């Protein structure tokens, strides 16, 4: 069977193929995933095949059932007596040898996104298959209760639903886990691959939470790198505020790491930030700081690390030490403990009380899993450890944390950084979609920034506002390159943040920043990379109806 025929045949009743058309959606032409041909359950390190009976797959007392729900196929799982590590679903799918595949990442991307020849790589959350004639899209809706990843193999299309609770299987007990909603679509003749993915992102996230106006401004990290102070923040805010257009949409001045209280010094140790409810002596009073930023004409924003524990916290409040999370100077709070979630909510609410309009929270994925996204190859975390509460999947634990932050924030904008992308969609207004750019190395900005924007910009205003990170405006980066990067972000319709080293500013740069701020303050069409099918750092872009070519080399 050829793939271009399988929808029509599936509609006639052929079982096991990936797409079908249920009657209620036939008029709209929406493909809906069939119940998979095969299902496995994972217990410990072993996969066991489940047997089908009356539409339910079972292995011992573990049951996996499916339900058509609108444009989705919902997956429900019960495992009353054993710890369940994962469920794997498989559909028939003929993969042409010339097919190119585009996947996503668990959290931020790391400069390695792109259309690739099929080599059975794991794609978190969603996957697109392009055979040169049409594009088939496979994904799960955002906010799911399992960590979901796709793979194209010689046997078909596979979806793994990771139900671990930390590094061990979840203990579901008597409850049924509503694990995920599977969604699929196919490209239409009128669409480009880019517009197909844009549409698919909106299918995966039907209810995004978006900023009321475009977000732009400054952030001190990429020239101060934590060596900031109240005086420095006021200096750069004062320098840049006059460059913002005189409109009803004022820019943000975001205070990055460096403001919070440091732990007491240990022998040979410079201390580390561990109390994000109190400023250090460089800032003294964060409410006064917020007021000063407003007086200067910008909106105050603040960086925080929600799960960072204090050096004197009780061990019973902490996550266990695992590789990547074993520095005794950096203890991490267990987010399944109510007392810890209350602390997170208290701090977020405190920032609002201080007068901040935006909070950027960071490190939560690393703090929970002990891994950066680039290292989440075989597993998202090390095996063998568990949360205090073993009855929730890791995805559910993360969802609870994000909802706690969201609830405490009120009407403040939230930027997630190092957050699980699919779980932050619909919860936070903005998401840092890639690893750090740089104020020191142009190659890093090119790799992380350009690649990230090129391949995750279809998520913009579908999942959240996509923040591709800052323009590190310093004397270490050639202005000819930073100027192009600033232009691309400013004209792409996505949030623009600049880290302006006062020592690097001159009249030419100020004039260009003013021009870019004026563009970033307004609603614009989402930029489209035109050569992304063959270039991991797209150079040709469609911006505001015109084609623009950049030279990143």
């Amino acid at each position: 069977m050829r793939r271009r025929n399988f929808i029509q045949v599936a509609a006639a009743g052929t079982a096991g193929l990936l797409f079908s058309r249920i009657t209620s959606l036939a008029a709209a032409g929406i493909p809906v995933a069939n119940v998979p041909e095969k299902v496995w359950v994972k217990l410990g390190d072993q996969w066991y095949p489940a047997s089908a009976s009356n539409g339910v797959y079972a292995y011992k007392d573990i049951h996996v059932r499916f339900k058509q729900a609108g444009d989705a196929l919902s997956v429900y799982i019960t495992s009353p007596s054993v710890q369940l590590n994962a469920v794997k679903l498989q559909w028939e799918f003929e993969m042409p040898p010339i097919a190119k595949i585009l996947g996503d990442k668990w959290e931020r991307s790391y400069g390695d996104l792109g259309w690739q020849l099929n080599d059975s790589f794991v794609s978190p959350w969603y996957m697109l298959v392009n055979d040169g004639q049409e594009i088939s899209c496979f994904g799960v809706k955002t906010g799911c209760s399992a960590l979901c990843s796709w793979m194209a193999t010689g046997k078909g299309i596979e979806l793994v639903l990771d139900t671990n609770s930390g590094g061990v299987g979840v203990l579901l007990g008597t409850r049924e886990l509503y694990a995920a909603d599977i969604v699929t679509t196919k490209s239409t003749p009128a669409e480009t691959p880019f517009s197909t993915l844009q549409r698919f992102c909106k299918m995966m996230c039907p209810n995004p939470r978006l900023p009321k106006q475009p977000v732009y401004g400054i952030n001190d990290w990429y020239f101060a790198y934590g060596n900031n102070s109240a005086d420095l923040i006021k200096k750069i805010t004062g320098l840049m505020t006059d460059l913002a257009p005189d409109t009803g949409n004022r820019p943000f001045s975001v205070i990055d790491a460096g403001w919070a209280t440091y732990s007491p010094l240990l022998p040979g140790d410079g201390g580390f930030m561990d109390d994000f409810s109190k400023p250090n002596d460089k800032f003294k009073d964060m409410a006064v700081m917020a007021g000063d930023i407003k007086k200067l004409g910008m909106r105050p924003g603040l960086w925080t690390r929600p799960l960072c524990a204090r050096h004197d916290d009780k061990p019973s409040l902490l996550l266990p030490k695992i590789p990547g999370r074993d520095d005794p100077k950096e203890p991490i709070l267990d987010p399944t403990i109510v007392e810890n979630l209350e602390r997170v909510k208290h701090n977020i609410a405190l920032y609002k009380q201080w007068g901040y309009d935006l909070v950027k929270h960071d490190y939560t994925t690393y703090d929970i899993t002990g891994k950066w996204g680039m290292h989440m190859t075989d597993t998202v975390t090390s095996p063998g450890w568990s949360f205090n509460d073993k009855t929730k999947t890791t995805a559910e634990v993360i969802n609870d944390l994000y909802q706690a932050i969201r609830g405490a924030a009120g009407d403040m904008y939230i930027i997630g950084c190092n957050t699980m992308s699919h779980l932050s969609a619909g919860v936070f207004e903005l998401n840092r979609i890639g690893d750090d750019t740089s104020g020191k190395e142009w190659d890093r900005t090119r790799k992380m920034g350009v690649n990230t924007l090129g391949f995750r910009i279809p998520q913009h205003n579908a999942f959240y506002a996509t923040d591709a990170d800052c323009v590190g405006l310093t004397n270490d980066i050639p202005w000819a390159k930073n100027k192009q990067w600033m232009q691309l972000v400013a004209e792409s319709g996505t949030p623009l943040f600049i880290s302006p080293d006062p020592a690097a500013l001159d009249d030419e740069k100020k004039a260009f920043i003013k021009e870019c701020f004026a563009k970033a303050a307004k609603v614009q069409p989402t930029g489209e990379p035109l050569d992304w099918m063959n270039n991991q750092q797209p150079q040709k872009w469609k911006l505001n109806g015109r084609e623009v070519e950049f030279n990143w080399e």
Side-chain angles (χ1 to χ4, degrees):
M1 169 158 308
R2 297 186 181 277
R3 286 194 314 109
R4 62 176 175 268
N5 295 328
F6 66 21
I7 287 182
Q8 291 85 351
V9 176
T14 300
L17 298 170
L18 184 54
F19 292 131
S20 68
R21 292 191 189 277
I22 60 177
T23 304
S24 62
L25 297 177
I30 299 174
V32 179
N34 266 328
V35 172
E37 275 199 320
K38 296 180 180 179
V39 175
W40 293 265
V41 299
K42 188 177 185 182
L43 305 177
D45 295 328
Q46 298 297 316
W47 289 100
Y48 299 94
S51 301
S53 177
N54 297 322
V56 177
Y57 284 84
Y59 175 77
K60 296 185 178 179
D61 64 349
I62 301 171
H63 293 85
V64 183
R65 70 177 181 94
F66 303 90
K67 180 182 178 182
Q68 296 283 6
D71 63 351
L73 179 69
S74 301
V75 186
Y76 297 86
I77 302 168
T78 56
S79 179
S81 63
V82 296
Q83 291 181 278
L84 180 66
N85 297 85
V87 169
K88 180 165 64 177
L89 316 178
Q90 185 185 94
W91 295 263
E92 285 185 0
F93 189 85
E94 183 183 343
M95 182 66 64
I98 60 170
K100 281 190 171 183
I101 296 176
L102 176 66
D104 198 32
K105 296 295 181 180
W106 288 116
E107 43 110 6
R108 299 174 299 185
S109 62
Y110 289 84
D112 55 353
L113 285 170
W115 290 92
Q116 304 177 43
L117 291 173
N118 177 30
D119 58 357
S120 299
F121 62 91
V122 172
S123 177
W125 310 124
Y126 65 75
M127 179 176 70
L128 276 62
V129 178
N130 182 1
D131 67 359
Q133 295 181 332
E134 63 185 4
I135 294 176
S136 301
C137 307
F138 317 103
V140 295
K141 288 192 175 183
T142 56
C144 43
S145 297
L147 301 179
C148 302
S149 59
W150 296 86
M151 180 182 290
T153 72
K155 299 177 181 178
I157 297 289
E158 293 182 352
L159 171 62
V160 173
L161 300 98
D162 182 338
T163 58
N164 277 308
S165 181
V168 298
V170 68
L171 288 168
L172 291 177
T174 59
R175 75 184 179 101
E176 183 177 51
L177 179 69
Y178 179 12
D181 287 323
I182 301 169
V183 287
T184 63
T185 195
K186 293 168 67 67
S187 60
T188 67
E191 288 180 323
T192 65
F194 185 82
S195 59
T196 297
L197 180 51
Q198 281 184 308
R199 176 171 60 84
F200 190 48
C201 286
K202 291 177 181 178
M203 286 180 60
M204 289 185 283
C205 186
N207 297 299
R209 185 182 180 107
L210 302 174
K212 294 181 175 66
Q213 295 176 298
V215 174
Y216 70 107
I218 60 175
N219 176 303
D220 62 273
W221 180 254
Y222 291 106
F223 73 92
Y225 286 100
N227 188 24
N228 55 6
S229 66
D231 289 341
L232 179 62
I233 298 301
K234 287 187 285 187
K235 179 178 180 179
I236 63 169
T237 302
L239 285 171
M240 303 296 284
T241 190
D242 290 338
L243 305 181
D246 185 15
T247 69
N249 184 19
R250 298 300 297 167
F252 286 88
S253 177
V254 181
I255 305 168
D256 214 286
W259 66 269
T261 295
Y262 284 76
S263 62
L265 295 179
L266 301 174
D269 177 32
F272 74 101
M273 288 180 293
D274 74 341
D275 189 344
F276 286 88
S277 67
K278 298 177 182 178
N280 57 46
D281 289 340
K282 296 184 299 177
F283 285 87
K284 294 185 172 60
D285 190 320
M286 297 307 289
V288 170
M289 182 79 258
D292 288 342
I293 290 173
K294 290 178 181 178
K295 290 175 185 176
L296 290 167
M298 287 197 180
R299 302 176 67 184
L302 193 63
W303 180 95
T304 190
R305 184 175 180 176
L307 293 179
C308 183
R310 295 190 294 265
H311 70 283
D312 55 355
D313 273 324
K314 296 180 294 185
S316 59
L317 296 177
L318 308 180
L319 284 171
K321 288 181 171 34
I322 59 172
R325 197 175 64 211
D326 53 4
D327 187 341
K329 296 181 296 182
E330 297 192 19
I332 303 301
L333 297 172
D334 185 329
T336 69
I337 296 174
V338 173
E339 181 180 341
N340 292 339
L341 277 185
E342 290 302 315
R343 182 188 302 184
V344 171
K345 291 191 287 187
H346 166 80
N347 287 352
I348 297 295
L350 184 62
Y351 308 148
K352 179 176 174 58
Q353 180 182 329
W354 285 344
Y356 289 86
D357 295 330
L358 176 150
V359 169
K360 179 179 181 179
H361 71 88
D362 202 351
Y363 276 87
T364 54
T365 299
Y366 178 79
D367 286 345
I368 288 173
T369 67
K371 287 187 178 184
W372 301 109
M374 71 181 84
H375 300 135
M376 295 177 179
T377 51
D378 298 329
T379 61
V380 298
T381 189
S382 299
W385 69 273
S386 64
F387 298 105
N388 181 72
D389 183 350
K390 304 177 183 64
T391 68
K392 293 182 178 180
T393 67
T394 299
E396 290 180 299
V397 171
I398 293 172
N399 284 335
D400 288 348
L401 173 65
Y402 292 175
Q403 290 296 339
I405 293 171
R406 173 75 272 155
D411 60 357
M412 287 194 301
Y413 287 168
I414 297 292
I415 303 180
C417 185
N418 185 229
T419 52
M420 286 285 189
S421 171
H422 235 58
L423 304 185
S424 56
V427 182
F428 305 133
E429 289 86 356
L430 300 93
N431 189 38
R432 249 286 302 283
I433 53 174
D435 196 15
D436 292 7
T437 55
S438 180
K440 298 179 179 179
E441 303 173 21
W442 166 247
D443 283 348
R444 184 175 181 89
T445 297
R446 180 181 66 180
K447 177 182 179 181
M448 301 302 180
V450 176
N451 177 267
T452 290
L453 191 62
F455 291 90
R456 285 188 125 175
I457 196 172
Q459 300 170 0
H460 180 59
N461 285 345
F463 289 177
Y464 31 58
T466 56
D467 172 16
D469 208 11
C470 300
V471 179
L473 190 53
T474 70
N475 288 321
D476 293 327
I477 306 288
W479 171 235
K481 301 305 178 187
N482 258 341
K483 184 177 182 180
Q484 292 183 87
W485 174 231
M486 193 187 305
Q487 178 189 350
L488 173 58
V489 179
E491 296 185 10
S492 69
T494 67
L496 171 67
F497 286 102
I498 300 171
S499 284
D501 184 349
L505 294 175
D506 56 29
D507 290 343
E508 178 190 355
K509 295 184 180 69
K510 288 180 180 179
F512 193 71
I513 292 170
K514 186 174 183 178
E515 180 182 330
C516 289
F517 272 177
K519 294 173 180 176
K522 299 177 181 178
V523 175
Q524 301 177 89
T526 300
E528 178 179 353
L530 300 176
D531 57 344
W532 73 321
M533 299 296 297
N534 301 297
N535 189 349
Q536 280 193 287
Q537 296 170 3
Q539 294 179 265
K540 298 178 181 179
W541 287 75
K542 184 178 180 181
L543 302 171
N544 287 297
R546 74 192 199 285
E547 292 189 12
V548 180
E549 185 166 353
F550 298 95
N551 175 15
W552 306 123
E553 299 299 327

Coordinates of all heavy atoms in Angstrom, one line a residue, residues 217-251:
G217 N 12.4 44.4 24.6 CA 13.1 45.2 25.6 C 14.6 44.8 25.8 O 15.2 44.4 24.8
I218 N 15.1 44.9 27.1 CA 16.5 44.6 27.3 C 16.6 43.6 28.5 O 15.7 43.4 29.3 CB 17.2 45.9 27.7 CG1 16.6 46.6 28.9 CG2 17.2 46.9 26.5 CD1 17.4 47.8 29.4
N219 N 17.8 43.0 28.5 CA 18.1 42.0 29.5 C 19.6 42.1 29.7 O 20.4 42.2 28.7 CB 17.7 40.6 29.0 CG 18.1 39.5 30.0 OD1 19.3 39.4 30.3 ND2 17.2 38.7 30.4
D220 N 20.1 42.1 30.9 CA 21.5 42.4 31.2 C 22.5 41.2 31.1 O 23.7 41.4 31.1 CB 21.7 43.0 32.6 CG 21.2 42.1 33.7 OD1 20.0 42.1 34.0 OD2 22.1 41.3 34.2
W221 N 21.9 40.0 30.9 CA 22.8 38.8 31.1 C 24.0 38.8 30.1 O 25.1 38.5 30.6 CB 21.9 37.6 30.9 CG 22.8 36.3 31.1 CD1 23.2 35.5 30.1 CD2 23.3 35.8 32.3 NE1 23.9 34.5 30.6 CE2 24.0 34.6 31.9 CE3 23.3 36.2 33.6 CZ2 24.7 33.9 32.9 CZ3 23.9 35.4 34.6 CH2 24.6 34.3 34.2
Y222 N 23.8 39.1 28.9 CA 24.8 38.8 27.9 C 25.9 39.9 27.8 O 26.7 39.8 26.9 CB 24.2 38.5 26.5 CG 23.5 37.2 26.5 CD1 22.1 37.2 26.5 CD2 24.1 36.0 26.6 CE1 21.4 36.0 26.6 CE2 23.5 34.8 26.6 CZ 22.1 34.8 26.6 OH 21.4 33.6 26.7
F223 N 26.0 40.8 28.7 CA 27.2 41.6 28.9 C 27.6 41.6 30.4 O 28.8 41.7 30.7 CB 27.0 43.0 28.4 CG 26.1 43.9 29.2 CD1 26.7 44.7 30.2 CD2 24.8 44.0 29.0 CE1 25.9 45.5 31.0 CE2 24.0 44.8 29.8 CZ 24.6 45.6 30.8
A224 N 26.6 41.4 31.3 CA 27.0 41.4 32.7 C 27.3 40.0 33.3 O 28.1 39.9 34.2 CB 25.8 42.1 33.5
Y225 N 26.6 39.0 32.7 CA 26.8 37.6 33.1 C 26.7 37.5 34.7 O 27.6 36.8 35.2 CB 28.0 37.1 32.5 CG 27.9 36.8 31.1 CD1 28.4 37.7 30.1 CD2 27.3 35.6 30.6 CE1 28.3 37.4 28.7 CE2 27.2 35.4 29.3 CZ 27.7 36.3 28.3 OH 27.6 36.0 27.0
G226 N 25.7 38.1 35.3 CA 25.5 37.9 36.7 C 26.2 39.0 37.5 O 25.9 39.2 38.7
N227 N 27.1 39.8 37.0 CA 27.8 40.8 37.7 C 27.0 42.1 37.5 O 27.5 43.1 37.0 CB 29.3 41.0 37.2 CG 30.1 41.9 38.0 OD1 29.8 42.2 39.2 ND2 31.1 42.5 37.4
N228 N 25.8 42.1 38.0 CA 24.9 43.3 37.8 C 24.7 43.9 39.1 O 25.2 43.5 40.2 CB 23.6 42.9 37.1 CG 22.9 41.8 37.9 OD1 23.3 41.3 39.0 ND2 21.8 41.3 37.3
S229 N 24.0 45.0 39.1 CA 23.6 45.8 40.3 C 22.5 46.7 40.0 O 22.1 46.9 38.8 CB 24.9 46.6 40.8 OG 25.1 47.6 39.8
A230 N 21.9 47.3 41.0 CA 20.8 48.2 40.8 C 21.3 49.4 40.0 O 20.6 49.9 39.1 CB 20.3 48.7 42.2
D231 N 22.5 49.9 40.3 CA 23.0 51.0 39.5 C 23.2 50.7 38.0 O 22.9 51.5 37.2 CB 24.3 51.5 40.1 CG 24.2 52.2 41.5 OD1 23.0 52.6 41.8 OD2 25.2 52.3 42.2
L232 N 23.7 49.5 37.8 CA 23.9 49.1 36.4 C 22.5 49.0 35.6 O 22.4 49.4 34.5 CB 24.6 47.8 36.3 CG 24.9 47.2 34.9 CD1 25.7 48.2 34.1 CD2 25.5 45.9 34.9
I233 N 21.5 48.4 36.3 CA 20.2 48.2 35.7 C 19.6 49.6 35.4 O 19.1 49.8 34.3 CB 19.3 47.4 36.6 CG1 19.8 46.0 36.8 CG2 17.9 47.4 36.0 CD1 20.0 45.2 35.6
K234 N 19.7 50.5 36.3 CA 19.2 51.9 36.1 C 20.0 52.6 34.9 O 19.4 53.3 34.1 CB 19.3 52.7 37.3 CG 18.2 52.3 38.4 CD 18.2 53.2 39.6 CE 19.3 53.0 40.5 NZ 19.2 53.8 41.8
K235 N 21.3 52.3 34.8 CA 22.1 52.9 33.8 C 21.6 52.5 32.4 O 21.4 53.3 31.5 CB 23.6 52.6 34.0 CG 24.5 53.2 32.9 CD 25.9 52.9 33.2 CE 26.8 53.5 32.2 NZ 28.3 53.3 32.5
I236 N 21.5 51.1 32.2 CA 21.2 50.7 30.9 C 19.7 51.0 30.6 O 19.3 51.2 29.4 CB 21.5 49.2 30.7 CG1 20.7 48.3 31.6 CG2 23.0 48.9 30.8 CD1 20.8 46.8 31.3
T237 N 18.8 50.9 31.6 CA 17.4 51.3 31.3 C 17.3 52.7 30.9 O 16.6 53.1 29.9 CB 16.6 51.1 32.6 OG1 16.7 49.7 33.0 CG2 15.1 51.4 32.4
G238 N 18.1 53.6 31.5 CA 18.1 55.0 31.2 C 18.6 55.3 29.8 O 18.1 56.1 29.0
L239 N 19.7 54.5 29.4 CA 20.3 54.6 28.1 C 19.3 54.2 27.0 O 19.3 54.7 25.9 CB 21.6 53.8 28.0 CG 22.8 54.4 28.7 CD1 23.9 53.4 28.7 CD2 23.2 55.7 28.0
M240 N 18.5 53.2 27.2 CA 17.7 52.5 26.2 C 16.3 53.0 26.1 O 15.6 52.9 25.1 CB 17.7 51.0 26.4 CG 19.1 50.4 26.4 SD 20.0 50.5 24.9 CE 19.2 49.3 23.9
T241 N 15.8 53.6 27.2 CA 14.4 53.9 27.2 C 14.0 55.0 26.1 O 12.9 54.9 25.6 CB 13.9 54.4 28.6 OG1 12.5 54.5 28.7 CG2 14.6 55.8 28.9
D242 N 14.9 55.9 25.8 CA 14.6 56.9 24.8 C 14.6 56.3 23.4 O 14.2 57.0 22.5 CB 15.6 58.1 24.9 CG 15.3 58.9 26.2 OD1 14.2 58.8 26.7 OD2 16.3 59.6 26.6
L243 N 15.1 55.1 23.3 CA 15.2 54.5 22.0 C 13.9 53.8 21.6 O 13.7 53.3 20.5 CB 16.3 53.5 21.9 CG 17.7 54.1 22.2 CD1 18.8 53.1 22.0 CD2 18.0 55.3 21.3
A244 N 13.0 53.6 22.6 CA 11.7 52.9 22.4 C 10.7 53.9 21.8 O 10.7 55.1 22.1 CB 11.2 52.4 23.7
P245 N 9.8 53.4 21.0 CA 8.8 54.3 20.4 C 7.9 54.8 21.4 O 7.6 54.2 22.4 CB 8.1 53.4 19.3 CG 8.3 52.0 19.9 CD 9.7 52.0 20.5
D246 N 7.3 56.0 21.1 CA 6.4 56.6 22.0 C 5.0 56.0 21.7 O 4.2 56.7 21.1 CB 6.4 58.1 21.9 CG 5.5 58.8 22.9 OD1 5.1 58.1 23.9 OD2 5.2 60.0 22.7
T247 N 4.7 54.8 22.2 CA 3.5 54.2 22.0 C 2.9 53.6 23.3 O 3.5 53.8 24.3 CB 3.6 53.0 21.0 OG1 4.3 51.9 21.7 CG2 4.4 53.4 19.7
G248 N 1.8 53.0 23.2 CA 1.2 52.4 24.4 C 1.8 51.1 24.8 O 1.4 50.4 25.7
N249 N 2.8 50.6 24.1 CA 3.5 49.4 24.3 C 5.0 49.6 24.7 O 5.8 49.7 23.8 CB 3.4 48.4 23.1 CG 4.0 47.1 23.4 OD1 4.2 46.7 24.6 ND2 4.3 46.3 22.4
R250 N 5.2 49.8 26.0 CA 6.6 50.2 26.4 C 7.4 48.9 26.6 O 6.9 47.8 26.8 CB 6.5 50.9 27.8 CG 5.8 52.2 27.8 CD 6.5 53.2 26.8 NE 7.8 53.5 27.2 CZ 8.7 54.1 26.4 NH1 8.4 54.4 25.1 NH2 9.9 54.4 26.8
P251 N 8.7 49.0 26.5 CA 9.6 47.9 26.5 C 9.8 47.4 28.0 O 9.6 48.1 28.9 CB 10.9 48.4 25.9 CG 10.9 49.8 26.2 CD 9.5 50.3 26.1

